Amino acid sequence: ASEDLQVYLDFAISLAREGAQLILEGSKARYVSQGMVVSKSDPTDLVTETDKKVEEVVKKRLKERFPQHKFIGEESVSNGEVLVLTNEPTWIVDPIDGTTNFVHGFHYVAISIALTINKETVVGVVYNPFLNELFTASKNSGAFLNLSTRLPLSHPHPPLPLPSSLSHCLVLAEYGHDRTPHVIDKKTMSIYNMLTRPGDNRWGDSGKKAGLVHGVRSLGSGALNLCTVAKGQADLYWEVGPWVWDVAAATLILEEAGGIVVDAYGPDEGPADFLGRRFLGVRAGSPVPGDKTGRESQLRLAKEMWDV
Ligand code: LIP
């Protein structure tokens, strides 16, 4: 990493560790029974005292250390701060990504810290204290698990070639918090199309192609879904609905691990718009003959996803 980026990365790691300590302490509280968990805009969008405490601490430390930098945090926006991403250096923080998991003791929970410059993530840290997995990346310097293991992983499973078709993929997809019937109908239709054979479409002939993926999984955390794809343990992550704080850090981690993140609706081949709330990540993999970087193969899978 360049010297500056290394300073930012080290600071982000120390913040993630401090936040993680509070998350572990907070996990001892019996949130549901003590009424310490409340809903935000949607009844299933939960927030706990721990989310608020972690964000407060991280925000304070960042203000002290980098007073000129901007800050975007999930709970600050919930409390009425306006969500604008400018070209200024901006720290984007999700104190707990996977709050529902946190409340239920399902250990896919992470603190996510990103620094963007010119609206691009240059440093990303995602830390799951329950599984003790620290994912880090800085621009052009690769992505790592627990600081020393380069992503994608090559142990214990040797890396598989990237499937040439969606029909051989393991996909991570989420339902999200918005349970409005037409939103859920659209999402379940896309997931149905991923799961079924062409021609099986019980939703009517929408003209869309169906897939036959090997499986669909949901970890309940956009950040950890992207990091799982960065590890190479799943082929794709597809979600409509995540906020910028869910994905800003993990996007860089996946890209530095050789993957791509694009708009889940396509067909724009550029990076996904951080505020667009539609993300499709594809992992790195041995490229098919003639595709030196693997990008062509990744975009081929993305195109199939855009069609479901
Ligand atoms: C979560 C996201 C996830 C989404 C969940 C939830 P939170 O973030 O990371 O991608 O499917 O519904 O929004 O609210 O736990 O920070």
Side-chain angles (χ1 to χ4, degrees):
S2 82
E3 248 168 63
D4 279 356
L5 291 191
Q6 192 60 52
V7 168
Y8 296 141
L9 180 62
D10 289 344
F11 194 65
I13 292 170
S14 73
L15 288 178
R17 290 198 198 281
E18 188 175 353
Q21 212 36 54
L22 296 172
I23 293 174
L24 289 174
E25 280 163 28
S27 69
K28 295 182 187 126
R30 306 273 306 159
Y31 281 109
V32 178
S33 60
Q34 291 180 2
M36 281 166 73
V37 47
V38 291
S39 300
K40 296 195 278 191
S41 51
D42 292 302
T44 61
D45 190 4
L46 308 181
V47 62
T48 69
E49 288 306 314
T50 307
D51 297 64
K52 293 182 200 161
K53 198 198 270 178
V54 173
E55 182 158 322
E56 236 168 69
V57 169
V58 171
K59 189 176 182 177
K60 181 166 166 281
R61 299 261 188 273
L62 284 167
K63 283 274 162 236
E64 287 162 359
R65 180 74 194 266
F66 303 113
Q68 313 296 342
H69 290 184
K70 303 262 182 271
F71 178 86
I72 294 175
E74 175 169 21
E75 306 317 329
S76 306
V77 171
S78 288
N79 283 337
E81 275 185 22
V82 184
L83 173 55
V84 251
L85 179 61
T86 65
N87 287 339
E88 300 296 307
T90 305
W91 291 91
I92 303 181
V93 173
D94 190 345
I96 300 186
D97 190 43
T99 303
T100 307
N101 292 345
F102 177 64
V103 168
H104 289 269
F106 183 68
H107 282 171
Y108 286 86
V109 172
I111 177 170
S112 169
I113 302 176
L115 173 65
T116 62
I117 298 179
N118 294 326
K119 300 195 182 92
E120 245 190 39
T121 307
V122 291
V123 157
V125 174
V126 172
Y127 184 29
N128 177 346
F130 294 102
L131 303 180
N132 195 25
E133 290 191 321
L134 173 68
F135 300 91
T136 54
S138 58
K139 189 90 190 157
N140 298 326
S141 298
F144 295 88
L145 172 62
N146 294 335
L147 301 177
S148 54
T149 307
R150 197 174 266 280
L151 298 175
L153 300 177
S154 45
H155 300 286
H157 300 286
L160 287 170
L162 190 67
S164 56
S165 146
L166 192 56
S167 61
H168 297 100
C169 287
L170 183 64
V171 177
L172 301 177
E174 296 284 341
Y175 303 97
H177 293 306
D178 187 347
R179 306 295 165 83
T180 319
H182 80 270
V183 172
I184 285 296
D185 275 357
K186 262 182 106 172
K187 284 189 187 175
T188 46
M189 178 173 139
S190 298
I191 293 171
Y192 181 90
N193 284 341
M194 290 174 208
L195 290 166
T196 54
R197 284 177 193 285
D200 278 354
N201 193 345
R202 75 177 160 98
W203 298 88
D205 184 10
S206 60
K208 303 257 179 181
K209 268 192 279 160
L212 188 59
V213 299
H214 279 177
V216 177
R217 309 279 182 263
S218 297
L219 298 182
S221 152
L224 290 175
N225 281 323
L226 281 163
C227 289
T228 302
V229 175
K231 279 171 157 179
Q233 293 176 342
D235 301 302
L236 297 123
Y237 161 62
W238 178 89
E239 187 173 2
V240 176
W243 293 93
V244 61
W245 43 80
D246 298 319
V247 298
T251 291
L252 180 68
I253 292 165
L254 175 54
E255 287 171 350
E256 287 295 322
I260 60 165
V261 179
V262 291
D263 190 312
Y265 285 179
D268 178 358
E269 295 187 2
D273 168 8
F274 266 158
L275 301 182
R277 305 187 59 194
R278 307 184 300 242
F279 301 95
L280 169 56
V282 185
R283 74 166 170 89
S286 318
V288 296
D291 179 12
K292 287 204 186 87
T293 61
R295 191 169 167 83
E296 204 186 291
S297 319
Q298 289 165 330
L299 283 171
R300 201 162 62 192
L301 287 184
K303 284 197 179 95
E304 278 193 59
M305 253 341 229
W306 293 331
D307 283 343
V308 296

